[in-house]
Amino acid sequence: MDLHWLRDVAQTEGPFASVYLDSSHNTEDAPKRIELRWRALRAALAEQGADLETLAAIDDAIGVAAAAVDHPPGQVGQLLVAAHGSVVLNEFLPVPPDQERARWSPAPDLLPALTHMPEQLTTVVAVVDATGADVYAGQHAEHLDTARYPMHKVRGGGWSHRKMQHRVEENERASASETARAIEDIVAANGADLLVLAGETQSRSRVRRALRKRAQGIAEEVEAGGRAPGSDGAELDREVARLVDARVSAIRRAEAERYAEIAGRGDGSSVDGVAPVTEALRAAQVEALYLDAEQAPTEPLWIGPQAGQVATEPEQLAGLGVRPAGPVDPVDALLRAAAGTGASFHPVGGGRTGLVGRTLTDGVGAILRSGPPGGQPST
């Protein structure tokens, strides 16, 4: 899981107010409900010591978002992180939090968002028929008209009929090829990880065969959706969600297997346990951080103003001339350090890395960078 979107947060000095809010917008009085839910969380933050300027910044951010015409519809969650009177992160989550929470702490509270948000999986959906496609990428839609007439075979016989049939087949192939090229351009422009082909069966099959290697390798077909008015968009949404879940599971399984393979070499390319991982993070040598939330470390850590400054003992930072802050929740400290030093993050479960069964000491492990670090060691 790429953490680049959290780098600015990680490089901000705390303390932080972290808020997980049910920001569902499925009733007429949704803005008022959101305001009431925030009021209770606001009081909790004030009791924990949050300053008035930071609380006021969150007030404004929640009020603006709740009243905005582009607020996501239906049931959604919202994560807000603020510090020193400014909101530094304001993200909608695909589902409301299991439990609303607000924390005032030296490091941002990021784990719930990372475990409930799928990997940043960019998906392009193309609903295809013989005349082109409707292509959806994020909030953008493009309607492709590649029809070449005649497009429909007719009954008859004789030479003229066979010529007509041949022209129709040639036009269908040409339309599919043109549609495929246009879809490939959209896939490339968006850096898509998954291409879902829906719509008319023969047309989408032709388009898939016409795709080049890159797009064909990420393409999946579904028996749902269509370009005609009244087509079942809800069924297509469900199929896309199923494919996204399957692709995310495959990514996580592959990452677990990668960790097991590298850790099994015993050549120093990986470490596990809190002390070795924090040492590697301080040196900006962690390429990928693996964390088992069910078996996560419980002993607090210490941090400095820079993201990579994390240690098991305050003396380790003081010895570097850094004034330590803490004690800090260990998961918060590790994730802040990973995001701030360019490491990726991979959640694992059950005390083991996915399906491969390698135990993580203290519930945490890391693959180390083989080349120069992505950031400078903290001093």
Side-chain angles (χ1 to χ4, degrees), residues 17 52 63 263 279 285 329:
L52 292 177
E279 182 179 351
Q285 285 291 346
D329 179 282

Side-chain angles (χ1 to χ4, degrees), residues 12 19 26 36 73 76 79-80 91 106 116 118 144 153 160 164 191 200 213 217 247 268 296 304 316 322 342:
T12 300
V19 177
N26 50 2
L36 291 174
V76 294
L79 165 62
L80 299 103
E91 288 284 334
H116 288 90
L144 309 176
K153 296 179 181 179
S160 61
M164 177 66 73
E200 196 272 319
K213 185 176 181 179
R247 187 62 58 91
Q316 292 172 309
V322 174

Side-chain angles (χ1 to χ4, degrees), residues 46-66:
E47 288 181 5
Q48 295 173 51
D51 61 271
L52 292 177
E53 292 81 4
T54 297
L55 293 174
I58 302 175
D59 287 338
D60 292 343
I62 290 176
V64 168

Side-chain angles (χ1 to χ4, degrees), residues 251-330:
I251 291 170
R252 290 185 174 178
R253 185 164 56 249
E255 276 297 333
E257 292 169 353
R258 175 173 175 253
Y259 178 83
E261 189 273 326
I262 292 175
R265 295 177 192 166
D267 61 358
S269 299
S270 69
V271 293
D272 65 346
V274 173
V277 170
T278 55
E279 182 179 351
L281 285 166
R282 282 200 307 277
Q285 285 291 346
V286 173
E287 175 193 314
L289 176 71
Y290 295 78
L291 181 67
D292 182 347
E294 297 177 11
Q295 304 290 331
T298 57
E299 291 297 318
L301 298 177
W302 299 80
I303 63 173
Q306 296 181 21
Q309 294 169 337
V310 57
T312 56
E313 301 293 339
E315 293 79 11
Q316 292 172 309
L317 295 178
L320 297 172
V322 174
R323 184 178 179 180
V328 182
D329 179 282

Side-chain angles (χ1 to χ4, degrees), residues 249-250 252-257 260 347-350 352-358:
S249 295
R252 290 185 174 178
R253 185 164 56 249
E255 276 297 333
E257 292 169 353
V348 297
R352 297 176 180 275
T353 55
L355 303 179
V356 297
R358 175 174 288 277

Side-chain angles (χ1 to χ4, degrees), residues 207-267:
V207 168
R208 183 170 189 173
R209 289 194 299 271
L211 291 171
R212 297 190 182 99
K213 185 176 181 179
R214 159 77 174 108
Q216 195 171 86
I218 63 170
E220 298 283 353
E221 293 186 52
V222 296
E223 296 286 342
R227 301 185 79 193
S231 297
D232 190 351
E235 176 62 20
L236 177 56
D237 288 344
R238 287 191 290 270
E239 285 293 287
V240 171
R242 177 184 64 81
L243 289 173
V244 168
D245 287 345
R247 187 62 58 91
V248 167
S249 295
I251 291 170
R252 290 185 174 178
R253 185 164 56 249
E255 276 297 333
E257 292 169 353
R258 175 173 175 253
Y259 178 83
E261 189 273 326
I262 292 175
R265 295 177 192 166
D267 61 358

